Amino acid sequence: MAKTYDQHLQEGLAYLSLPALESRSAWAPNTDVYETPDNLVVKMEIAGIERDDLEITLNDRLLLVRGHRKDPCRQRPCSFRQMEIDYGYFERRIVIPRSVDGSRVRAQFQNGFLHSELPKSSTSEHATVTIIIERAS
């Protein structure tokens, strides 16, 4: 069956690591994806988020990062004079362009950045892995 225009658009957005059109995200953190000789690396700017408010899952070749940045005005009333920081729920879906070893994926959260290393693999895996975020040393 031929794909519709919307399916092609969604695949294109996923490939470019852009948020999907119908995403529930209130915002999307800035993200770099790059390759080293041994790893694919995903670096995400998420200052002000608690480590426990993050979830990372690798499902086949899709890296899913979800989290929540708490709004300070929910705890006590305030009136913004200027607002440039995004708050609330976010979800980033990043298509991984090649096979990786899901059992060796590492993630660290330090200085406002989530740094995930996905070791390259020559074999294709089809598994879902929840990634534990290590404490930075």
Side-chain angles (χ1 to χ4, degrees):
M1 186 164 91
K3 293 181 182 176
T4 67
Y5 173 78
D6 286 340
Q7 288 170 323
H8 283 291
L9 179 62
Q10 290 300 319
E11 286 177 6
L13 290 174
Y15 178 76
L16 294 171
S17 298
L18 298 173
L21 293 178
E22 71 271 351
S23 175
R24 300 179 304 154
S25 295
W27 61 287
N30 293 327
T31 303
D32 291 341
V33 180
Y34 58 93
E35 194 168 340
T36 67
D38 299 321
N39 298 300
L40 286 165
V41 180
V42 178
K43 185 176 180 182
M44 191 172 290
E45 185 180 45
I46 51 175
I49 298 176
E50 299 293 328
R51 192 178 88 147
D52 292 339
D53 290 333
L54 291 170
E55 176 187 332
I56 310 171
T57 306
L58 178 64
N59 185 353
D60 195 17
R61 292 173 92 177
L62 180 69
L63 184 70
L64 177 62
V65 182
R66 293 179 177 150
H68 183 264
R69 183 171 11 215
K70 295 178 178 116
D71 182 346
C73 287
R74 294 220 182 249
Q75 283 125 15
R76 64 177 190 263
C78 63
S79 177
F80 280 98
R81 301 291 184 217
Q82 180 172 330
M83 184 176 182
E84 296 179 3
I85 299 171
D86 294 310
Y87 296 97
Y89 174 81
F90 77 87
E91 180 177 286
R92 273 312 287 266
R93 296 170 184 252
I94 299 163
V95 175
I96 305 303
R98 59 172 298 149
S99 295
V100 296
D101 182 351
S103 66
R104 296 186 350 191
V105 172
R106 295 186 54 204
Q108 287 189 336
F109 184 49
Q110 183 177 22
N111 297 329
F113 288 95
L114 177 64
H115 184 89
S116 304
E117 291 184 356
L118 298 90
K120 295 176 185 177
S121 175
S122 58
T123 60
S124 181
E125 295 182 20
H126 299 286
T128 300
V129 179
T130 299
I131 300 164
I132 304 300
I133 303 169
E134 301 170 2
R135 293 200 186 275
S137 44

